[in-house]
Structure formats: C-alpha cells, structure tokens
Amino acid sequence: MADKREKFGGRLAVILAMAGSAIGLGNIWRFPYMVGEHGGAAFVIVYVIATLLISLPVFLAEVMIGRRSHTNARDAFARLSRQHPFWKTTGYLTILIPTLIACYYSVIGGWSLGYFIQSCSLSLTRMPPENVSRQFGSFVSSAWIPVAMHLVFLGVTVGVVAGGVKSGIEKFSKVSLPVLFVLIVLILAYSVTLPGAGEGVRYLLHPDWSELTPRTFAYAMGQSFYSLSLGMGAIITYGSYVSKKENILATSAGTAVSDLLFAILAGFAIMPAVFAAGIEPGAGPGLIFQSVPYVFARMGATMPVLSAITAILFFLTIIVAAMTSCISLVEVGVSFLMERKGMTRGRACLVLFLVCGGFGVLCSLSFGPLSGVTVAGMSIFDLFDWVCSNILLLLMALLVVLFVGWILPRRVVYDEFTNGGRLRLNHLLFPVFWFLIKWVAPVAVVIIFFTNFIL
Ligand code: PHE
C-alpha cells in the first residue's frame, strides 16, 4: 500500500514544489509593504533571523510529520500518536484550514486573471491613471466577472492537482518556478530604471532601528510563517511525498532561501515603481491591484509598449505564484479524500472544486451584492482571512511544534533529521534543532498569537 503512494522525483523537485507553495501572494504584496512599514532593512534582518531560528525548525517539523507518517495530513497525526483521540481531531484541523484558505486565495487569483486580461487588451495601460483605483472597486464589486475568474483560476489549479503528484504538481512547479524568477527580475529591471525610483530603493534599504518594537518581531514571525506555508497542512502533505533518502534539512533550507530571495526581489520590483509614480505604498490587495496598476497607467502615456508588456508580465507573475500556492492548499484535501475516503484523484479534485468554488463565490460576492452580510463587523472574505491567518494557522503551528517537540520520541525525530544518523552535518546540528523546536518555537508561536490580539 505504502509503495503505491506517489513521490517527488528528487531533491530539486522537492525544493521546487515546496518553494512553489511558499512563494505566493504573501511574497508579492505583503512582504514589500511590511518591510517599508516596519523599519526597512531592520525588518529584513529580523525577518531573516526569525526564519532561521523559528520558521525553519517548524518547517522541518512539518516535513518530518509528513515523511515519517507517509500519509495525508489527517492520518499523519493519528498514525504517529498511535491513534490518540486528541491528535486524531487535530488531524481534521489540518484538512480544514487549507481548504478554507483555498476558498478566498483563489478569489484573489481570479482578480489577477481579470487584471491579466485587461493588461492584454491594453485597457489597463490606456486608462487615465486617476481612474485606476475606482476601476478596482467596480471590478471586485461587479459580481459575476470576478466570480467567473475565480472559478476559472480554481478550475485550472484543480486541473493541475488532478494530474497527480509527479505529472501534475511536480511538472507544473518545475516549469513555473524558474519562470517566476525570470519574470520578477524583468519587472525589477523596468521598475528600478523609472525616473524617481531611487526613493523606493531607499525605502527598502534604509534601516530604521527605532521601528524595532516587540510588535515588529511578532509581525516578522507571522509573515515568515505565512510565507513558508506553515500551519496549514500543506508542507505536511508535500513532506509525505519526500523520499526517505532525502536530506530534509537541505530541502527545507533550499525552500526557505528561495522564498526569501523571491520576497526581496518582489520588494525591489514593486516599491521603486510605486515611489516613481509618487504614491504612498498601501497595504493588502490595494498595493498590487491599485498602486502598481496606477504606475502602469501613468507610464502608459509615455512608454505604451514597455508598460503594457510589463503589466502583462506582472499579472502573469501573480497568477503563477498564486496558483502554485493554491495547488498545495488543494492537495491537502485531495490526499485526505483519496486515502481516507477511498476516492479516486479525479473525484477528490471535483469535490474540492465544488467546496472551494462554492465558498469562494460567497467570498467573492462579499465585495459586491453580499457586502451587507457581516459577522463581527467583517465581510465574509475578511472573516475567512482573519479566522485562518490570525487564529487557525497559529493554533496549528503550535500543535505541530508541540507534537514534534513533546509527543514524538526524541529518537524518531533524530532519525528523521539525520536519516538514521547517516548525515554528519545534521547529526551535529540536531541538538540545536531539538532545543529550538522544544523550547523556542512554542514560546514564539504563543507570543505571536497574543501580540496579534493584544497590541
Ligand atoms: N505561502 C503562501 C504565500 O506566501 C501562502 C500559502 C500558505 C500557500 C499556506 C499555501 C499554504 O502566499
């Protein structure tokens, strides 16, 4: 039975698939904006430290749970805890969270598709710049167009997942990841050569140490978790497709470095352009769907061809980055339905399409006809995002670190970390990892959780 399970084809394939999951909207809109708001280069330094000391160990913990249990995220906890009822229930959470996220993540994927089409038809770069912001508002509230785009985006995503681990996910990541890096470098080249771009470069590079408060640390950790797809079952699921021979420290570090590199490139691709156009960098979807399109529209008057091409490439980058992430979200539920409910991959994909598509439609419509429906003052979309990113994700990350640090026997963790003692460097680093996962990571996750609420 275990042998029939699919596997990734080697180290590069593992890194590309995991980096595909990690590199997403978090890198493109959230990271650049957070760097600027929280002390520029000072934030980047904190972010790198948080990634090395906390997120990387948590990432390793997730890969370990997946690889050791060799099954879907729901059964992983049950199997490794010998069917303990608490951990069996935890397993369900690992299926629920990514499925909920896929619902609204694919809505934003759909918006990128809409903007990509507008860029191709040149309507974006020919628009008077002052209309760009209003146009975003009317696009997202226009009901059926964003709903259709969301369903197309989700349909293609699920289509890739239906192709299987090797010929769907692995193949898609092998092509799309290198393409993403090339695209972001092209956009960066356009951006830093715009007149006035220097201000944006300074925004990212200037270290403002006075901005470094406890809150900054919490933000840096939260962002690093989100960016590495932690606490959502995605890395556990991908970990279950990693071969026993693989060095998981090397693959995890490779993924973390790619993710960080992409985030920094995205920062330098976006901020200089935004500053060149003389606008304030805003948070959230506004940055990529209002500020950046404004730049394209403004530059469209003087450099129509170059701006149109860059706009097309920019939205293509977002679509591909969002899709590789969404694939990893959908795969969690698919592997669960296949292994637990005995469904074929095709049928499991169909179920996920219907569930995420259905709830996603509600999220999408919450910008338009359903904008009046609110829970605790939040629209349906905001509610999904808030519950997932601020509560469930951190809860899940805490459970993961407690599971590996306190429930799994040290011997098992050592065995996974060093491949039975065969990897010398890993053997030497194990005490560090063990200390971080047992003590530092749980405290850090609890701190982020409370900081999000209290501060
Ligand atoms: N890491 C992705 C990003 O940066 C988001 C994500 C989280 C994707 C969890 C999959 C699973 O956008």
Side-chain angles (χ1 to χ4, degrees), residues 219-231:
Y219 279 149
M221 279 193 279
Q223 166 64 13
S224 168
F225 269 33
Y226 183 82
S227 193
L228 281 174
S229 306
L230 297 174

Side-chain angles (χ1 to χ4, degrees), residues 10 48 62 72 79 116 136 151 171 199 218 231 251 257 263 269 297 315 320 337 380 403 413 431 435 439:
V48 172
E62 292 207 5
N72 64 83
R79 193 172 280 181
F116 175 73
F136 175 67
L151 292 175
K171 235 189 202 155
E199 195 54 39
T251 49
V257 169
F315 289 106
V320 176
L337 291 178
I380 304 174
F403 190 74
V413 178
F435 175 72
W439 300 105

Side-chain angles (χ1 to χ4, degrees), residues 179-255:
V179 168
L180 273 182
F181 274 91
V182 172
L183 288 176
I184 203 78
V185 169
L186 289 178
I187 299 163
L188 189 149
Y190 163 88
S191 178
V192 294
T193 49
L194 292 174
E199 195 54 39
V201 174
R202 232 164 294 141
Y203 179 82
L204 293 171
L205 286 185
H206 172 69
D208 184 356
W209 301 107
S210 65
E211 282 287 339
L212 283 192
T213 57
R215 207 175 167 167
T216 319
F217 284 88
Y219 279 149
M221 279 193 279
Q223 166 64 13
S224 168
F225 269 33
Y226 183 82
S227 193
L228 281 174
S229 306
L230 297 174
M232 309 200 196
I235 301 303
I236 298 183
T237 306
Y238 275 11
S240 74
Y241 302 133
V242 174
S243 128
K244 294 279 177 215
K245 291 196 228 83
E246 201 49 72
N247 177 348
I248 58 172
L249 180 59
T251 49
S252 304
T255 307

Side-chain angles (χ1 to χ4, degrees), residues 20-28 98 101 105 223 225-230 232 234-235 259 321 324-326 328-329 393:
S21 169
I23 295 172
L25 297 168
N27 304 57
I28 301 176
I101 297 189
Y105 206 84
Q223 166 64 13
F225 269 33
Y226 183 82
S227 193
L228 281 174
S229 306
L230 297 174
M232 309 200 196
I235 301 303
D259 185 56
T324 47
S325 297
C326 205
S328 72
L329 292 167
L393 182 158

Side-chain angles (χ1 to χ4, degrees), residues 101-449:
I101 297 189
C103 302
Y104 72 86
Y105 206 84
S106 55
V107 170
I108 306 183
W111 293 352
S112 339
L113 188 58
Y115 269 72
F116 175 73
I117 295 171
Q118 279 186 44
S119 309
C120 290
S121 70
L122 301 185
S123 63
L124 190 71
T125 36
R126 286 196 180 145
M127 187 181 297
E130 58 282 6
N131 288 0
V132 168
S133 207
R134 200 163 356 110
Q135 202 275 343
F136 175 67
S138 49
F139 170 72
V140 297
S141 59
S142 63
W144 298 113
I145 303 173
V147 164
M149 295 293 153
H150 148 69
L151 292 175
V152 171
F153 178 88
L154 188 65
V156 177
T157 305
V158 170
V160 174
V161 175
V165 175
K166 248 180 128 48
S167 34
I169 301 175
E170 180 175 322
K171 235 189 202 155
F172 188 78
S173 331
K174 271 192 170 153
V175 178
S176 58
L177 253 272
V179 168
L180 273 182
F181 274 91
V182 172
L183 288 176
I184 203 78
V185 169
L186 289 178
I187 299 163
L188 189 149
Y190 163 88
S191 178
V192 294
T193 49
L194 292 174
E199 195 54 39
V201 174
R202 232 164 294 141
Y203 179 82
L204 293 171
L205 286 185
H206 172 69
D208 184 356
W209 301 107
S210 65
E211 282 287 339
L212 283 192
T213 57
R215 207 175 167 167
T216 319
F217 284 88
Y219 279 149
M221 279 193 279
Q223 166 64 13
S224 168
F225 269 33
Y226 183 82
S227 193
L228 281 174
S229 306
L230 297 174
M232 309 200 196
I235 301 303
I236 298 183
T237 306
Y238 275 11
S240 74
Y241 302 133
V242 174
S243 128
K244 294 279 177 215
K245 291 196 228 83
E246 201 49 72
N247 177 348
I248 58 172
L249 180 59
T251 49
S252 304
T255 307
V257 169
S258 322
D259 185 56
L260 181 66
L261 187 64
F262 194 89
I264 292 176
L265 289 174
F268 283 106
I270 293 173
M271 285 307 168
V274 168
F275 276 85
I279 44 178
E280 275 293 301
L287 181 64
I288 48 176
F289 295 107
Q290 289 169 295
S291 309
V292 178
Y294 175 87
V295 178
F296 294 137
R298 242 189 75 166
M299 300 300 159
T302 46
M303 313 189 271
V305 179
L306 192 61
S307 296
I309 294 174
T310 318
I312 293 170
L313 297 182
F314 180 71
F315 289 106
L316 186 62
T317 311
I318 300 179
I319 294 172
V320 176
M323 196 168 278
T324 47
S325 297
C326 205
I327 286 171
S328 72
L329 292 167
V330 170
E331 176 63 19
V332 180
V334 167
S335 68
F336 164 72
L337 291 178
M338 284 169 66
E339 289 173 351
R340 184 116 279 264
K341 306 283 171 208
M343 288 187 193
T344 59
R345 183 168 274 274
R347 184 171 286 252
C349 284
L350 183 64
V351 171
L352 268 124
F353 178 75
L354 294 175
V355 171
C356 299
F359 284 108
V361 167
L362 295 180
C363 290
S364 182
L365 292 178
S366 73
F367 289 92
L370 297 183
S371 59
V373 182
T374 57
V375 179
M378 284 181 273
S379 70
I380 304 174
F381 183 98
D382 290 342
L383 181 72
F384 266 65
D385 185 26
W386 187 79
V387 171
C388 293
S389 341
N390 288 337
I391 299 180
L392 295 179
L393 182 158
L394 292 172
L395 180 63
M396 195 61 232
L398 183 63
L399 290 168
V400 164
V401 292
L402 292 180
F403 190 74
V404 171
W406 295 89
I407 303 293
L408 282 186
R410 189 177 192 275
R411 171 186 55 76
V412 168
V413 178
Y414 174 81
D415 195 43
E416 278 299 309
F417 192 81
T418 62
N419 288 1
R422 277 190 293 279
L423 303 167
R424 282 303 300 161
L425 181 65
N426 299 31
H427 168 78
L428 293 175
L429 290 174
F430 183 73
V432 181
F433 169 73
W434 186 243
F435 175 72
L436 291 173
I437 209 71
K438 209 169 166 78
W439 300 105
V440 181
V443 173
V445 179
V446 171
I447 291 177
I448 317 177
F449 191 77

